[in-house]
Amino acid sequence: MREIRVGLVGYGVAGAYFHAPLIQATPGLTLSAVVTRDPERQAEVGGRYGAAAVTDVRDLWERCDLVVVASPNRTHVSTATAALSHGLPVVVDKPLARTVAEGRELVRLARERGLMLTVFHNRRWDGDFRTLRRLVAEGRLGDVHRLESRFERWRPVPKGGWRERGGPEEVPGLLYDLGSHLVDQAVQLLGPVREVYCESDVRRAGVTGDDDTFIALTHESGARSHLWASSVAARLGPRFRVLGSAAAFVKHGMDVQEERLRAGMTPDSPGFGDDEEDRWGFLGTPGDQQLVRTDTGTYLDFYRGVAAALREGAPPPVDPESAVEVLAVLEAARRSATERTVVQLT
């Protein structure tokens, strides 16, 4: 079969640093066209990838076999709907939609058309999260009681842009940005959620989206997740602290793949997803701990899964229903923060 031609909508951080290099490095996929109106970005996509730069999503329908939506949150649903309506499978960056209702409608449309729809929850392929899932599956922690998970940064001066200063229609802030990853990982590890509590604040002047957010989840299993997303953490906590009946796992430092993508390293380079030893985690109990090598991070597995879904009929790498489940938790978290209450999920 000929290579699958991919049309990428958006060439900001998500498009330029994540989707484009991952698509280009995946056998069977080729970046055919990119929607961007910025002249410098247009020149880059042509020079770096040999892709056509177009200014309107309607220019993609005849140029590609797959559409990847990496544009601002407010455009996810409209762009994905248009692509599905033109008979094209779709990858949507997280969050899938602004609301559960919108997400469910996209899933319904894709199923009705018999087209693949999947969501770029790439943090399932973080090396540290892959390590944690393996340790839990091997029973090394016993029964997991509590997951503590953090995406924290120190950015006292806002960078600007819609993620920090957009109106409600833009879905700005950390809850739907980093919170999407935190909640998705928690659900993947510990299962469905029955209760949600959230504290969500704006700490910096001139910012409209939340920049300091805490989410507490009670899972149906009885396990609890405590999740932090912050741009104003002057001292970073552990990336993971997971407590079980037999042992705990503690890991500092972020997965290396994002920083290497931002530095221009290609995702098929040797050692791309390998963590440095000084950032490996520890497993054990007081007085009896062992260093645990971090499993290799494998963001490329997402797009390998996309190619397999389109060529071989394999399941998509991320079931869109699971992305709707994440949206349900995020909606409940937003309601909890607004009403200062615990929200029950059914």
CSV table of all heavy atoms in Angstrom, one decimal, residues 153-195:
chain,number,residue,atom,x,y,z
A,153,ARG,N,5.3,23.5,37.1
A,153,ARG,CA,6.3,24.4,36.4
A,153,ARG,C,6.4,25.6,37.3
A,153,ARG,O,5.6,26.0,38.1
A,153,ARG,CB,5.8,24.8,35.0
A,153,ARG,CG,5.6,23.6,34.1
A,153,ARG,CD,4.7,24.0,32.9
A,153,ARG,NE,4.7,22.9,31.9
A,153,ARG,CZ,3.8,22.9,30.9
A,153,ARG,NH1,2.9,23.9,30.8
A,153,ARG,NH2,3.8,21.9,30.0
A,154,TRP,N,7.5,26.4,37.0
A,154,TRP,CA,7.7,27.7,37.6
A,154,TRP,C,7.8,28.7,36.5
A,154,TRP,O,8.8,28.9,35.9
A,154,TRP,CB,9.0,27.7,38.4
A,154,TRP,CG,9.4,29.0,39.1
A,154,TRP,CD1,10.6,29.6,38.9
A,154,TRP,CD2,8.6,29.8,39.9
A,154,TRP,NE1,10.6,30.8,39.6
A,154,TRP,CE2,9.4,30.9,40.2
A,154,TRP,CE3,7.3,29.7,40.5
A,154,TRP,CZ2,8.9,32.0,41.1
A,154,TRP,CZ3,6.9,30.7,41.3
A,154,TRP,CH2,7.7,31.8,41.6
A,155,ARG,N,6.6,29.3,36.3
A,155,ARG,CA,6.4,30.3,35.3
A,155,ARG,C,5.7,31.6,35.9
A,155,ARG,O,4.6,31.8,35.6
A,155,ARG,CB,5.7,29.8,34.1
A,155,ARG,CG,6.4,28.8,33.3
A,155,ARG,CD,5.6,28.3,32.1
A,155,ARG,NE,6.3,27.3,31.3
A,155,ARG,CZ,5.8,26.6,30.3
A,155,ARG,NH1,4.5,26.7,30.0
A,155,ARG,NH2,6.5,25.7,29.6
A,156,PRO,N,6.4,32.3,36.7
A,156,PRO,CA,5.7,33.4,37.4
A,156,PRO,C,5.3,34.5,36.5
A,156,PRO,O,4.4,35.3,36.8
A,156,PRO,CB,6.8,33.9,38.4
A,156,PRO,CG,8.1,33.5,37.8
A,156,PRO,CD,7.8,32.1,37.2
A,157,VAL,N,6.0,34.6,35.3
A,157,VAL,CA,5.6,35.6,34.3
A,157,VAL,C,4.8,34.9,33.2
A,157,VAL,O,5.4,34.0,32.5
A,157,VAL,CB,6.8,36.3,33.7
A,157,VAL,CG1,6.4,37.4,32.7
A,157,VAL,CG2,7.6,37.0,34.9
A,158,PRO,N,3.6,35.3,32.9
A,158,PRO,CA,2.8,34.6,31.9
A,158,PRO,C,3.5,34.7,30.5
A,158,PRO,O,4.1,35.8,30.2
A,158,PRO,CB,1.5,35.3,31.9
A,158,PRO,CG,1.4,35.9,33.3
A,158,PRO,CD,2.8,36.3,33.7
A,159,LYS,N,3.3,33.7,29.7
A,159,LYS,CA,3.9,33.7,28.3
A,159,LYS,C,2.9,34.4,27.4
A,159,LYS,O,3.3,34.7,26.2
A,159,LYS,CB,4.2,32.3,27.9
A,159,LYS,CG,5.3,31.7,28.7
A,159,LYS,CD,5.5,30.2,28.4
A,159,LYS,CE,6.1,30.1,27.0
A,159,LYS,NZ,6.4,28.6,26.6
A,160,GLY,N,1.6,34.4,27.7
A,160,GLY,CA,0.6,35.0,26.8
A,160,GLY,C,0.0,33.9,26.0
A,160,GLY,O,0.3,32.7,26.1
A,161,GLY,N,-0.9,34.3,25.1
A,161,GLY,CA,-1.5,33.3,24.2
A,161,GLY,C,-2.8,32.9,24.8
A,161,GLY,O,-3.2,33.1,25.9
A,162,TRP,N,-3.6,32.1,24.0
A,162,TRP,CA,-5.0,31.8,24.3
A,162,TRP,C,-5.0,30.8,25.5
A,162,TRP,O,-6.0,30.8,26.3
A,162,TRP,CB,-5.7,31.2,23.1
A,162,TRP,CG,-5.2,29.9,22.6
A,162,TRP,CD1,-4.2,29.7,21.6
A,162,TRP,CD2,-5.5,28.6,23.1
A,162,TRP,NE1,-4.0,28.4,21.5
A,162,TRP,CE2,-4.7,27.7,22.3
A,162,TRP,CE3,-6.3,28.1,24.1
A,162,TRP,CZ2,-4.8,26.3,22.5
A,162,TRP,CZ3,-6.4,26.7,24.3
A,162,TRP,CH2,-5.6,25.8,23.5
A,163,ARG,N,-4.0,30.0,25.7
A,163,ARG,CA,-4.0,29.1,26.8
A,163,ARG,C,-4.1,29.8,28.2
A,163,ARG,O,-4.6,29.2,29.2
A,163,ARG,CB,-2.8,28.1,26.8
A,163,ARG,CG,-2.9,27.1,25.6
A,163,ARG,CD,-1.7,26.1,25.7
A,163,ARG,NE,-1.7,25.3,24.5
A,163,ARG,CZ,-2.4,24.3,24.3
A,163,ARG,NH1,-3.3,23.9,25.2
A,163,ARG,NH2,-2.2,23.6,23.1
A,164,GLU,N,-3.5,31.0,28.2
A,164,GLU,CA,-3.5,31.7,29.5
A,164,GLU,C,-4.5,32.8,29.5
A,164,GLU,O,-5.0,33.2,30.6
A,164,GLU,CB,-2.1,32.3,29.7
A,164,GLU,CG,-1.0,31.2,30.0
A,164,GLU,CD,0.4,31.8,30.3
A,164,GLU,OE1,0.7,32.9,29.8
A,164,GLU,OE2,1.1,31.2,31.1
A,165,ARG,N,-4.8,33.4,28.4
A,165,ARG,CA,-5.6,34.7,28.4
A,165,ARG,C,-6.8,34.6,27.5
A,165,ARG,O,-7.5,35.6,27.3
A,165,ARG,CB,-4.7,35.8,27.9
A,165,ARG,CG,-3.6,36.1,28.9
A,165,ARG,CD,-2.6,37.2,28.4
A,165,ARG,NE,-1.6,37.5,29.4
A,165,ARG,CZ,-0.5,38.3,29.2
A,165,ARG,NH1,-0.3,38.8,28.0
A,165,ARG,NH2,0.3,38.5,30.2
A,166,GLY,N,-7.2,33.4,27.1
A,166,GLY,CA,-8.3,33.2,26.2
A,166,GLY,C,-9.6,33.3,27.0
A,166,GLY,O,-9.7,33.1,28.3
A,167,GLY,N,-10.7,33.6,26.3
A,167,GLY,CA,-12.1,33.6,27.0
A,167,GLY,C,-12.6,32.2,27.1
A,167,GLY,O,-11.9,31.2,26.7
A,168,PRO,N,-13.7,32.0,27.7
A,168,PRO,CA,-14.3,30.7,28.0
A,168,PRO,C,-14.4,29.8,26.8
A,168,PRO,O,-14.3,28.6,26.9
A,168,PRO,CB,-15.7,31.0,28.6
A,168,PRO,CG,-15.5,32.4,29.2
A,168,PRO,CD,-14.6,33.1,28.3
A,169,GLU,N,-14.7,30.4,25.6
A,169,GLU,CA,-14.8,29.6,24.4
A,169,GLU,C,-13.6,29.0,24.0
A,169,GLU,O,-13.6,28.0,23.2
A,169,GLU,CB,-15.4,30.5,23.3
A,169,GLU,CG,-14.4,31.5,22.7
A,169,GLU,CD,-14.1,32.8,23.6
A,169,GLU,OE1,-14.8,32.9,24.6
A,169,GLU,OE2,-13.3,33.6,23.2
A,170,GLU,N,-12.4,29.5,24.4
A,170,GLU,CA,-11.1,28.9,24.1
A,170,GLU,C,-10.7,27.7,25.0
A,170,GLU,O,-9.8,27.0,24.7
A,170,GLU,CB,-10.0,30.0,24.2
A,170,GLU,CG,-10.1,31.2,23.3
A,170,GLU,CD,-9.6,30.9,21.9
A,170,GLU,OE1,-9.2,29.8,21.6
A,170,GLU,OE2,-9.6,31.9,21.1
A,171,VAL,N,-11.5,27.5,26.1
A,171,VAL,CA,-11.2,26.5,27.1
A,171,VAL,C,-9.7,26.7,27.5
A,171,VAL,O,-8.9,25.8,27.3
A,171,VAL,CB,-11.4,25.1,26.6
A,171,VAL,CG1,-11.5,24.1,27.8
A,171,VAL,CG2,-12.7,25.0,25.8
A,172,PRO,N,-9.3,27.8,28.1
A,172,PRO,CA,-8.0,28.1,28.5
A,172,PRO,C,-7.7,27.4,29.8
A,172,PRO,O,-8.6,26.8,30.5
A,172,PRO,CB,-7.9,29.6,28.6
A,172,PRO,CG,-9.3,29.9,29.1
A,172,PRO,CD,-10.2,29.0,28.4
A,173,GLY,N,-6.5,27.5,30.3
A,173,GLY,CA,-6.1,27.0,31.6
A,173,GLY,C,-5.6,25.6,31.7
A,173,GLY,O,-5.6,24.9,30.7
A,174,LEU,N,-5.1,25.3,32.9
A,174,LEU,CA,-4.4,24.0,33.1
A,174,LEU,C,-5.4,22.8,33.3
A,174,LEU,O,-5.0,21.7,33.0
A,174,LEU,CB,-3.5,24.1,34.3
A,174,LEU,CG,-2.3,25.1,34.2
A,174,LEU,CD1,-1.4,25.0,35.4
A,174,LEU,CD2,-1.5,24.7,32.9
A,175,LEU,N,-6.6,23.1,33.7
A,175,LEU,CA,-7.5,22.0,34.0
A,175,LEU,C,-7.7,21.1,32.7
A,175,LEU,O,-7.6,19.9,32.8
A,175,LEU,CB,-8.8,22.5,34.5
A,175,LEU,CG,-9.9,21.4,34.8
A,175,LEU,CD1,-9.4,20.4,35.8
A,175,LEU,CD2,-11.2,22.0,35.2
A,176,TYR,N,-8.0,21.8,31.6
A,176,TYR,CA,-8.2,21.0,30.4
A,176,TYR,C,-6.9,20.8,29.6
A,176,TYR,O,-7.0,20.0,28.6
A,176,TYR,CB,-9.2,21.7,29.5
A,176,TYR,CG,-10.7,21.4,29.9
A,176,TYR,CD1,-11.2,22.0,31.1
A,176,TYR,CD2,-11.5,20.6,29.1
A,176,TYR,CE1,-12.5,21.7,31.5
A,176,TYR,CE2,-12.8,20.3,29.5
A,176,TYR,CZ,-13.3,20.9,30.7
A,176,TYR,OH,-14.6,20.6,31.1
A,177,ASP,N,-5.8,21.4,30.0
A,177,ASP,CA,-4.6,21.2,29.3
A,177,ASP,C,-3.8,20.0,30.0
A,177,ASP,O,-4.0,18.9,29.6
A,177,ASP,CB,-3.8,22.5,29.3
A,177,ASP,CG,-2.4,22.4,28.5
A,177,ASP,OD1,-2.3,21.5,27.7
A,177,ASP,OD2,-1.5,23.2,28.8
A,178,LEU,N,-3.0,20.4,31.0
A,178,LEU,CA,-2.3,19.3,31.7
A,178,LEU,C,-3.2,18.4,32.5
A,178,LEU,O,-2.9,17.2,32.7
A,178,LEU,CB,-1.2,20.0,32.7
A,178,LEU,CG,-0.2,20.8,32.0
A,178,LEU,CD1,0.8,21.4,33.0
A,178,LEU,CD2,0.6,20.0,31.0
A,179,GLY,N,-4.3,19.0,32.9
A,179,GLY,CA,-5.3,18.1,33.6
A,179,GLY,C,-5.8,17.0,32.8
A,179,GLY,O,-6.1,15.9,33.4
A,180,SER,N,-5.9,17.2,31.5
A,180,SER,CA,-6.3,16.1,30.6
A,180,SER,C,-5.4,14.9,30.7
A,180,SER,O,-5.8,13.7,30.8
A,180,SER,CB,-6.4,16.5,29.2
A,180,SER,OG,-7.4,17.5,29.0
A,181,HIS,N,-4.1,15.2,30.8
A,181,HIS,CA,-3.1,14.1,30.9
A,181,HIS,C,-3.2,13.4,32.3
A,181,HIS,O,-3.1,12.2,32.4
A,181,HIS,CB,-1.7,14.6,30.7
A,181,HIS,CG,-1.4,15.1,29.3
A,181,HIS,ND1,-1.7,14.3,28.2
A,181,HIS,CD2,-0.9,16.2,28.8
A,181,HIS,CE1,-1.3,14.9,27.1
A,181,HIS,NE2,-0.8,16.1,27.5
A,182,LEU,N,-3.2,14.3,33.3
A,182,LEU,CA,-3.3,13.8,34.7
A,182,LEU,C,-4.5,12.8,34.9
A,182,LEU,O,-4.3,11.7,35.5
A,182,LEU,CB,-3.3,14.9,35.7
A,182,LEU,CG,-2.0,15.8,35.8
A,182,LEU,CD1,-2.3,17.1,36.5
A,182,LEU,CD2,-0.9,15.0,36.5
A,183,VAL,N,-5.6,13.3,34.5
A,183,VAL,CA,-6.8,12.5,34.7
A,183,VAL,C,-6.8,11.2,33.8
A,183,VAL,O,-7.1,10.1,34.3
A,183,VAL,CB,-8.1,13.3,34.4
A,183,VAL,CG1,-9.3,12.4,34.3
A,183,VAL,CG2,-8.3,14.4,35.4
A,184,ASP,N,-6.3,11.3,32.6
A,184,ASP,CA,-6.3,10.2,31.7
A,184,ASP,C,-5.3,9.1,32.3
A,184,ASP,O,-5.7,7.9,32.4
A,184,ASP,CB,-5.8,10.6,30.4
A,184,ASP,CG,-5.7,9.4,29.4
A,184,ASP,OD1,-6.8,8.8,29.1
A,184,ASP,OD2,-4.6,9.0,29.0
A,185,GLN,N,-4.2,9.5,32.8
A,185,GLN,CA,-3.3,8.5,33.4
A,185,GLN,C,-3.9,7.9,34.7
A,185,GLN,O,-3.8,6.7,34.9
A,185,GLN,CB,-1.9,9.2,33.8
A,185,GLN,CG,-1.1,9.5,32.6
A,185,GLN,CD,0.3,10.1,33.0
A,185,GLN,OE1,0.4,10.7,34.1
A,185,GLN,NE2,1.2,10.0,32.1
A,186,ALA,N,-4.6,8.7,35.5
A,186,ALA,CA,-5.2,8.2,36.7
A,186,ALA,C,-6.2,7.1,36.4
A,186,ALA,O,-6.3,6.1,37.0
A,186,ALA,CB,-5.8,9.3,37.5
A,187,VAL,N,-7.1,7.4,35.4
A,187,VAL,CA,-8.1,6.5,35.0
A,187,VAL,C,-7.5,5.2,34.4
A,187,VAL,O,-8.0,4.1,34.6
A,187,VAL,CB,-9.1,7.2,34.0
A,187,VAL,CG1,-10.1,6.2,33.5
A,187,VAL,CG2,-9.9,8.3,34.7
A,188,GLN,N,-6.5,5.4,33.5
A,188,GLN,CA,-5.8,4.2,33.0
A,188,GLN,C,-5.2,3.3,34.0
A,188,GLN,O,-5.3,2.1,33.9
A,188,GLN,CB,-4.8,4.7,32.0
A,188,GLN,CG,-5.3,5.3,30.7
A,188,GLN,CD,-6.1,4.3,29.9
A,188,GLN,OE1,-5.6,3.3,29.5
A,188,GLN,NE2,-7.3,4.7,29.6
A,189,LEU,N,-4.7,3.9,35.1
A,189,LEU,CA,-4.0,3.1,36.1
A,189,LEU,C,-5.0,2.5,37.1
A,189,LEU,O,-4.9,1.4,37.5
A,189,LEU,CB,-3.0,4.0,36.8
A,189,LEU,CG,-2.1,3.3,37.8
A,189,LEU,CD1,-1.1,2.5,37.1
A,189,LEU,CD2,-1.4,4.3,38.7
A,190,LEU,N,-6.0,3.3,37.6
A,190,LEU,CA,-6.8,2.9,38.7
A,190,LEU,C,-8.3,2.7,38.4
A,190,LEU,O,-9.1,2.4,39.2
A,190,LEU,CB,-6.7,4.0,39.8
A,190,LEU,CG,-5.3,4.1,40.4
A,190,LEU,CD1,-5.3,5.2,41.4
A,190,LEU,CD2,-4.8,2.8,41.0
A,191,GLY,N,-8.7,3.0,37.1
A,191,GLY,CA,-10.1,2.7,36.7
A,191,GLY,C,-11.0,3.8,36.9
A,191,GLY,O,-10.7,4.9,37.2
A,192,PRO,N,-12.3,3.5,36.6
A,192,PRO,CA,-13.4,4.6,36.6
A,192,PRO,C,-13.4,5.4,37.9
A,192,PRO,O,-13.0,4.9,39.0
A,192,PRO,CB,-14.7,3.8,36.4
A,192,PRO,CG,-14.2,2.5,35.8
A,192,PRO,CD,-12.9,2.2,36.3
A,193,VAL,N,-14.0,6.6,37.8
A,193,VAL,CA,-14.0,7.5,38.9
A,193,VAL,C,-15.5,7.7,39.4
A,193,VAL,O,-16.4,7.7,38.6
A,193,VAL,CB,-13.5,8.9,38.5
A,193,VAL,CG1,-13.7,10.0,39.6
A,193,VAL,CG2,-12.0,8.8,38.1
A,194,ARG,N,-15.6,7.7,40.7
A,194,ARG,CA,-17.0,7.9,41.2
A,194,ARG,C,-17.2,9.3,41.9
A,194,ARG,O,-18.3,9.8,42.0
A,194,ARG,CB,-17.4,6.8,42.2
A,194,ARG,CG,-16.7,6.8,43.5
A,194,ARG,CD,-17.4,5.8,44.5
A,194,ARG,NE,-16.8,5.8,45.8
A,194,ARG,CZ,-16.1,4.8,46.3
A,194,ARG,NH1,-16.0,3.7,45.6
A,194,ARG,NH2,-15.6,4.9,47.6
A,195,GLU,N,-16.1,9.9,42.4
A,195,GLU,CA,-16.2,11.2,43.1
A,195,GLU,C,-15.1,12.1,42.6
A,195,GLU,O,-14.0,11.7,42.4
A,195,GLU,CB,-16.2,11.1,44.6
A,195,GLU,CG,-17.4,10.4,45.2
A,195,GLU,CD,-17.2,10.4,46.7
A,195,GLU,OE1,-16.2,10.7,47.3
A,195,GLU,OE2,-18.2,9.9,47.4
